[in-house]
Structure formats: C-alpha cells, structure tokens
Amino acid sequence: MEDERLATYLDRFQLTHVFDERLRRHLERVEVEPGEYLCQQGDDAKQLYLLVEGKLKITHMSAAGRRLVLSFKHPFDLVGDIEYVRRIPLMNTVEAVTPVQVFRISYAALEQAGTDNPAFLRFLLETITMKFELKSHSMSFNLLYPVEVRLASYLLSMTPEKQTLPVTDLVDAADLIGTSYRHLNRVLLQFSREGLIDRTKRTIEIIDRAGLMERVGESIYE
C-alpha cells in the first residue's frame, strides 16, 4: 500500500526517474498536523523531506530574537536539501500550516544510495539553485514594489483554490512582505473600500480576483 502511494506521488511530480529503487526503499511517509514542527532552527540536520501534500511555513529567528517569516512551501518541494549539501545545522524552523504529508529519507541513506545517482544529484542541484533564484526575485520584489502590490500578490498566492484567508495569517503576511502590521491593515482597508476584498473579524474574502491581478501582473509569493 505504501509503495503504491509513493509511486503515485513520484509519478505525479515526474520524479520516478530521480528516486530509483535503492532510494525508494529508504523513503518513509510522515503526516504532520497544523501547528506541528517538521524541524526546528539550530537542530542537527539528519533527514531530507519531500513535501507532497499540504502547506509549510518557513521561519527564522534572528540574533535579536525577532521571528521572520521567510516563505511558504507547497508541493512539490524539499526541506533539508541545503543542509544536506553543506553539512550544517537546520537554518530555519519549518511548521505545518495545513495537514501535511512528507516522505523522509536519512542523510545516511542518501550517502549510501544517492551519491552515484546522476539523476538525483542533478535534481538536487536544480532544486537548490531554483531556491536561490526565487529568493533573489522575492528580495528584489520587496524593494522595488509598493506594499499594495506586494499585499495583493500575497493574497492571490495564498488563495489559489479558495477565496478566503484567516485573519490570523496577517502577522505572517506583514513579516513576509516587509511591512508593519499597522500599514498592512491600512492597505487592507483600502482594498475593502475598492471592492477587492471583504474583511470580517475572522477572514478575508477575495471579491475581485481580477482586480487584484491587475495590481500585481504576476504573483511573486507562489
């Protein structure tokens, strides 16, 4: 049953050629509930995680004690890849936002079964370089565009298959797009007055998705 489930995911994400039989036998499925941590900043890094279902939040605690929301991960993505290559402790804390399913494989197993697998090594290289490219793009976006564009982008990215977002996500949103919570609320009020969203005490509902898209052009936070 588990072998069939793994094969289904690998086929869905076109990774069958990457994870050969030697690697597959070491992959273990893990379920993580909302609010639970997959791994925490500073801990020893021992496993690579393959995100196949759900959403993860990536945060970093600065030396000054401030928590920064760096990004959100959606399938397919890897956790622990940079730490594996650089042999360093976990750089960030990874928390489940929704019910999450990952497959994990130990670094020891990767050393045993992956270092002579050209397809896996190329996949790892492409994944890591793409992360740095997206990070550079995100930093440039935050520097070059006003808060209303960044917030519209965030709202679109966080509601790809639904129209509502919990108000509790707004603190994370402020951290991610690089603004204050107070300023973010002013922009939300502006969006509400323009008929783009409807905000209640608990949720933000997207009313005019096309209108938000006009503000953004493309959504950087996806």
Side-chain angles (χ1 to χ4, degrees):
M1 181 66 178
E2 286 298 316
D3 289 343
E4 292 178 3
R5 193 194 302 262
L6 173 59
T8 298
Y9 282 120
L10 293 180
D11 182 64
R12 177 188 302 175
F13 298 113
Q14 300 179 345
L15 295 174
T16 302
H17 69 291
V18 172
F19 292 90
D20 60 18
E21 184 57 38
R22 291 189 306 158
L23 285 171
R24 290 185 205 183
R25 69 169 62 107
H26 295 288
L27 287 167
E28 176 188 12
R29 187 173 65 89
V30 178
E31 296 182 353
V32 188
E33 295 300 316
E36 293 182 351
Y37 294 112
L38 187 65
C39 49
Q40 293 187 273
Q41 179 181 337
D43 288 352
D44 289 338
K46 298 179 180 179
Q47 299 178 103
L48 179 73
Y49 298 91
L50 287 65
L51 175 62
V52 296
E53 296 282 356
K55 182 173 73 174
L56 295 170
K57 178 168 63 178
I58 314 301
T59 61
H60 183 83
M61 187 69 70
S62 71
R66 182 187 175 196
R67 190 194 68 151
L68 303 173
V69 178
L70 301 179
S71 64
F72 293 90
K73 289 184 178 290
H74 304 268
F76 177 82
D77 211 331
L78 296 179
V79 174
D81 46 349
I82 297 174
E83 289 86 348
Y84 170 67
V85 172
R86 296 192 60 206
R87 298 297 195 270
I88 58 174
L90 291 162
M91 297 188 298
N92 303 308
T93 293
V94 182
E95 177 186 350
V97 178
T98 66
V100 162
Q101 289 193 50
V102 298
F103 284 90
R104 65 185 179 191
I105 181 171
S106 70
Y107 289 172
L110 289 176
E111 286 294 299
Q112 176 187 343
T115 53
D116 61 348
N117 180 337
F120 172 74
L121 294 176
R122 181 176 180 81
F123 166 71
L124 196 61
L125 175 62
E126 290 177 347
T127 301
I128 292 174
T129 53
M130 184 178 296
K131 286 184 178 181
F132 283 110
E133 181 181 350
L134 290 173
K135 182 63 176 177
S136 176
H137 192 189
S138 176
M139 291 176 66
S140 298
F141 188 85
N142 278 357
L143 289 172
L144 295 173
Y145 291 90
V147 171
E148 52 264 30
V149 173
R150 283 140 52 192
L151 180 56
S153 174
Y154 174 86
L155 293 174
L156 291 169
S157 294
M158 298 308 295
T159 57
E161 299 176 354
K162 57 184 180 180
Q163 293 297 106
T164 60
L165 187 73
V167 168
T168 53
D169 286 3
L170 293 181
V171 174
D172 290 343
D175 284 344
L176 184 63
I177 67 177
T179 191
S180 68
Y181 184 71
R182 179 176 295 180
H183 191 183
L184 182 142
N185 274 302
R186 287 199 293 266
V187 177
L188 285 173
L189 179 59
Q190 173 188 330
F191 285 175
S192 179
R193 288 171 175 167
E194 294 174 4
L196 299 174
I197 66 168
D198 180 37
R199 178 175 177 175
T200 69
K201 290 183 178 180
R202 294 185 178 181
T203 64
I204 296 170
E205 182 179 1
I206 308 300
I207 302 298
D208 184 0
R209 197 172 191 87
L212 289 174
M213 285 297 298
E214 288 181 6
R215 294 290 183 92
V216 175
E218 73 176 279
S219 192
I220 187 69
Y221 297 114
E222 287 184 310

